[in-house]
mmCIF file of all heavy atoms in Angstrom:
data_model
loop_
_atom_site.group_PDB
_atom_site.id
_atom_site.type_symbol
_atom_site.label_atom_id
_atom_site.label_comp_id
_atom_site.label_asym_id
_atom_site.label_seq_id
_atom_site.Cartn_x
_atom_site.Cartn_y
_atom_site.Cartn_z
ATOM 1 N N ARG A 7 4.248 5.725 -5.240
ATOM 2 C CA ARG A 7 4.535 5.477 -6.663
ATOM 3 C C ARG A 7 6.025 5.283 -6.950
ATOM 4 O O ARG A 7 6.564 5.748 -7.938
ATOM 5 C CB ARG A 7 3.984 6.634 -7.519
ATOM 6 C CG ARG A 7 2.454 6.787 -7.453
ATOM 7 C CD ARG A 7 1.969 7.865 -8.348
ATOM 8 N NE ARG A 7 0.529 7.990 -8.289
ATOM 9 C CZ ARG A 7 -0.187 8.882 -8.975
ATOM 10 N NH1 ARG A 7 0.444 9.727 -9.804
ATOM 11 N NH2 ARG A 7 -1.481 8.914 -8.836
ATOM 12 N N VAL A 14 15.988 -0.380 9.250
ATOM 13 C CA VAL A 14 15.516 -1.339 10.244
ATOM 14 C C VAL A 14 16.634 -1.645 11.225
ATOM 15 O O VAL A 14 17.800 -1.831 10.805
ATOM 16 C CB VAL A 14 15.045 -2.636 9.566
ATOM 17 C CG1 VAL A 14 14.612 -3.648 10.642
ATOM 18 C CG2 VAL A 14 13.896 -2.379 8.609
ATOM 19 N N THR A 17 19.169 -5.733 15.307
ATOM 20 C CA THR A 17 19.893 -6.314 16.427
ATOM 21 C C THR A 17 19.171 -7.478 17.059
ATOM 22 O O THR A 17 19.762 -8.501 17.376
ATOM 23 C CB THR A 17 20.168 -5.215 17.472
ATOM 24 O OG1 THR A 17 20.907 -4.148 16.864
ATOM 25 C CG2 THR A 17 20.983 -5.781 18.632
ATOM 26 N N TYR A 23 13.441 -13.532 9.601
ATOM 27 C CA TYR A 23 12.693 -12.339 9.260
ATOM 28 C C TYR A 23 13.533 -11.371 8.429
ATOM 29 O O TYR A 23 13.089 -10.777 7.459
ATOM 30 C CB TYR A 23 12.213 -11.621 10.509
ATOM 31 C CG TYR A 23 11.134 -12.348 11.290
ATOM 32 C CD1 TYR A 23 10.720 -13.608 10.947
ATOM 33 C CD2 TYR A 23 10.582 -11.757 12.431
ATOM 34 C CE1 TYR A 23 9.778 -14.288 11.704
ATOM 35 C CE2 TYR A 23 9.614 -12.410 13.165
ATOM 36 C CZ TYR A 23 9.219 -13.691 12.798
ATOM 37 O OH TYR A 23 8.279 -14.350 13.549
ATOM 38 N N LEU A 24 14.810 -11.231 8.826
ATOM 39 C CA LEU A 24 15.710 -10.337 8.095
ATOM 40 C C LEU A 24 15.836 -10.798 6.652
ATOM 41 O O LEU A 24 15.752 -9.994 5.725
ATOM 42 C CB LEU A 24 17.080 -10.349 8.803
ATOM 43 C CG LEU A 24 18.267 -9.763 8.032
ATOM 44 C CD1 LEU A 24 18.064 -8.308 7.686
ATOM 45 C CD2 LEU A 24 19.562 -9.947 8.806
ATOM 46 N N LEU A 26 13.852 -12.746 4.940
ATOM 47 C CA LEU A 26 12.561 -12.628 4.274
ATOM 48 C C LEU A 26 12.379 -11.202 3.753
ATOM 49 O O LEU A 26 11.937 -10.981 2.615
ATOM 50 C CB LEU A 26 11.422 -13.034 5.213
ATOM 51 C CG LEU A 26 10.010 -12.795 4.652
ATOM 52 C CD1 LEU A 26 9.749 -13.601 3.397
ATOM 53 C CD2 LEU A 26 8.982 -13.113 5.729
ATOM 54 N N PHE A 32 13.815 -6.943 -2.508
ATOM 55 C CA PHE A 32 14.590 -6.789 -3.743
ATOM 56 C C PHE A 32 14.143 -7.734 -4.849
ATOM 57 O O PHE A 32 14.160 -7.333 -6.017
ATOM 58 C CB PHE A 32 16.093 -6.979 -3.423
ATOM 59 C CG PHE A 32 16.686 -5.856 -2.606
ATOM 60 C CD1 PHE A 32 17.016 -6.056 -1.308
ATOM 61 C CD2 PHE A 32 16.857 -4.629 -3.161
ATOM 62 C CE1 PHE A 32 17.550 -5.015 -0.526
ATOM 63 C CE2 PHE A 32 17.366 -3.555 -2.434
ATOM 64 C CZ PHE A 32 17.737 -3.767 -1.093
ATOM 65 N N SER A 53 31.189 -21.131 29.323
ATOM 66 C CA SER A 53 30.583 -21.489 30.608
ATOM 67 C C SER A 53 29.604 -22.646 30.475
ATOM 68 O O SER A 53 29.266 -23.085 29.387
ATOM 69 C CB SER A 53 29.832 -20.296 31.191
ATOM 70 O OG SER A 53 28.602 -20.098 30.514
ATOM 71 N N ALA A 57 25.578 -26.324 25.968
ATOM 72 C CA ALA A 57 25.761 -27.748 25.681
ATOM 73 C C ALA A 57 25.944 -28.610 26.906
ATOM 74 O O ALA A 57 26.863 -29.408 26.992
ATOM 75 C CB ALA A 57 26.984 -27.889 24.746
ATOM 76 N N PRO A 62 19.935 -36.739 23.129
ATOM 77 C CA PRO A 62 19.426 -36.133 21.874
ATOM 78 C C PRO A 62 18.242 -35.234 22.048
ATOM 79 O O PRO A 62 18.141 -34.145 21.468
ATOM 80 C CB PRO A 62 19.114 -37.339 21.005
ATOM 81 C CG PRO A 62 20.029 -38.424 21.504
ATOM 82 C CD PRO A 62 20.169 -38.190 22.977
ATOM 83 N N LEU A 68 23.930 -22.486 23.058
ATOM 84 C CA LEU A 68 24.144 -21.189 23.655
ATOM 85 C C LEU A 68 22.828 -20.430 23.871
ATOM 86 O O LEU A 68 22.593 -19.826 24.923
ATOM 87 C CB LEU A 68 25.105 -20.359 22.774
ATOM 88 C CG LEU A 68 25.410 -18.940 23.245
ATOM 89 C CD1 LEU A 68 26.218 -18.995 24.547
ATOM 90 C CD2 LEU A 68 26.158 -18.182 22.177
ATOM 91 N N GLU A 71 17.633 -24.906 22.796
ATOM 92 C CA GLU A 71 17.668 -26.268 23.350
ATOM 93 C C GLU A 71 16.784 -27.155 22.485
ATOM 94 O O GLU A 71 15.744 -26.710 21.967
ATOM 95 C CB GLU A 71 17.155 -26.260 24.770
ATOM 96 C CG GLU A 71 17.240 -27.635 25.463
ATOM 97 C CD GLU A 71 16.749 -27.508 26.901
ATOM 98 O OE1 GLU A 71 15.618 -27.044 27.106
ATOM 99 O OE2 GLU A 71 17.481 -27.877 27.807
ATOM 100 N N LEU A 83 14.493 -19.658 -2.915
ATOM 101 C CA LEU A 83 14.311 -21.076 -3.134
ATOM 102 C C LEU A 83 14.760 -21.437 -4.526
ATOM 103 O O LEU A 83 14.645 -20.626 -5.466
ATOM 104 C CB LEU A 83 12.847 -21.472 -2.961
ATOM 105 C CG LEU A 83 12.175 -21.104 -1.635
ATOM 106 C CD1 LEU A 83 10.699 -21.505 -1.695
ATOM 107 C CD2 LEU A 83 12.861 -21.820 -0.482
ATOM 108 N N SER A 116 29.553 -31.426 -0.064
ATOM 109 C CA SER A 116 30.629 -30.578 0.474
ATOM 110 C C SER A 116 30.006 -29.604 1.440
ATOM 111 O O SER A 116 28.895 -29.095 1.252
ATOM 112 C CB SER A 116 31.337 -29.831 -0.634
ATOM 113 O OG SER A 116 31.999 -30.742 -1.534
ATOM 114 N N ILE A 122 32.998 -17.292 12.833
ATOM 115 C CA ILE A 122 33.285 -15.905 13.192
ATOM 116 C C ILE A 122 34.724 -15.833 13.689
ATOM 117 O O ILE A 122 35.092 -16.537 14.666
ATOM 118 C CB ILE A 122 32.323 -15.439 14.306
ATOM 119 C CG1 ILE A 122 30.897 -15.470 13.775
ATOM 120 C CG2 ILE A 122 32.699 -14.055 14.794
ATOM 121 C CD1 ILE A 122 29.813 -15.224 14.868
ATOM 122 N N PRO A 127 36.744 -21.602 16.572
ATOM 123 C CA PRO A 127 37.383 -22.672 17.375
ATOM 124 C C PRO A 127 38.755 -23.026 16.803
ATOM 125 O O PRO A 127 38.988 -22.941 15.598
ATOM 126 C CB PRO A 127 36.434 -23.859 17.260
ATOM 127 C CG PRO A 127 35.645 -23.576 16.019
ATOM 128 C CD PRO A 127 35.554 -22.096 15.868
ATOM 129 N N GLU A 132 40.024 -21.697 24.198
ATOM 130 C CA GLU A 132 39.245 -22.389 25.226
ATOM 131 C C GLU A 132 37.823 -22.584 24.710
ATOM 132 O O GLU A 132 37.191 -21.665 24.181
ATOM 133 C CB GLU A 132 39.230 -21.601 26.510
ATOM 134 C CG GLU A 132 38.578 -22.334 27.673
ATOM 135 C CD GLU A 132 38.594 -21.518 28.952
ATOM 136 O OE1 GLU A 132 39.034 -20.343 28.936
ATOM 137 O OE2 GLU A 132 38.127 -22.048 29.987
ATOM 138 N N ALA A 140 32.179 -31.772 19.475
ATOM 139 C CA ALA A 140 31.437 -31.591 18.248
ATOM 140 C C ALA A 140 32.334 -31.021 17.170
ATOM 141 O O ALA A 140 32.288 -31.431 15.991
ATOM 142 C CB ALA A 140 30.224 -30.699 18.448
ATOM 143 N N GLU A 143 34.659 -33.638 15.858
ATOM 144 C CA GLU A 143 33.951 -34.562 14.963
ATOM 145 C C GLU A 143 33.751 -33.952 13.581
ATOM 146 O O GLU A 143 33.873 -34.636 12.568
ATOM 147 C CB GLU A 143 32.588 -34.931 15.563
ATOM 148 C CG GLU A 143 31.843 -35.974 14.796
ATOM 149 C CD GLU A 143 30.543 -36.406 15.457
ATOM 150 O OE1 GLU A 143 30.363 -36.104 16.657
ATOM 151 O OE2 GLU A 143 29.701 -37.027 14.777
ATOM 152 N N GLU A 147 35.681 -34.961 9.122
ATOM 153 C CA GLU A 147 34.911 -35.201 7.922
ATOM 154 C C GLU A 147 35.708 -34.731 6.690
ATOM 155 O O GLU A 147 36.185 -33.585 6.651
ATOM 156 C CB GLU A 147 33.564 -34.472 7.946
ATOM 157 C CG GLU A 147 32.623 -34.917 9.061
ATOM 158 C CD GLU A 147 32.132 -36.325 8.808
ATOM 159 O OE1 GLU A 147 32.083 -36.728 7.596
ATOM 160 O OE2 GLU A 147 31.751 -37.017 9.774
ATOM 161 N N SER A 176 27.237 -28.894 -7.803
ATOM 162 C CA SER A 176 25.978 -29.404 -7.273
ATOM 163 C C SER A 176 24.813 -28.680 -7.943
ATOM 164 O O SER A 176 24.967 -27.654 -8.571
ATOM 165 C CB SER A 176 25.896 -29.257 -5.789
ATOM 166 O OG SER A 176 26.901 -30.016 -5.147
ATOM 167 N N SER A 211 13.692 -26.226 19.174
ATOM 168 C CA SER A 211 12.542 -26.643 19.993
ATOM 169 C C SER A 211 12.186 -25.557 20.992
ATOM 170 O O SER A 211 11.016 -25.306 21.268
ATOM 171 C CB SER A 211 12.860 -27.948 20.697
ATOM 172 O OG SER A 211 13.129 -28.980 19.769
ATOM 173 N N ARG A 212 13.212 -24.915 21.557
ATOM 174 C CA ARG A 212 12.996 -23.882 22.546
ATOM 175 C C ARG A 212 14.171 -22.940 22.632
ATOM 176 O O ARG A 212 15.335 -23.343 22.511
ATOM 177 C CB ARG A 212 12.787 -24.505 23.940
ATOM 178 C CG ARG A 212 12.377 -23.541 25.013
ATOM 179 C CD ARG A 212 12.010 -24.310 26.282
ATOM 180 N NE ARG A 212 13.207 -24.802 26.993
ATOM 181 C CZ ARG A 212 13.861 -24.116 27.909
ATOM 182 N NH1 ARG A 212 13.466 -22.911 28.271
ATOM 183 N NH2 ARG A 212 14.922 -24.647 28.501
#
Side-chain angles (χ1 to χ4, degrees):
R7 296 182 180 180
V14 178
T17 302
Y23 292 5
L24 166 61
L26 174 61
F32 290 108
S53 77
L68 180 66
E71 183 179 56
L83 304 176
S116 296
I122 297 170
E132 185 180 6
E143 185 175 346
E147 296 291 335
S176 297
S211 299
R212 186 173 75 90

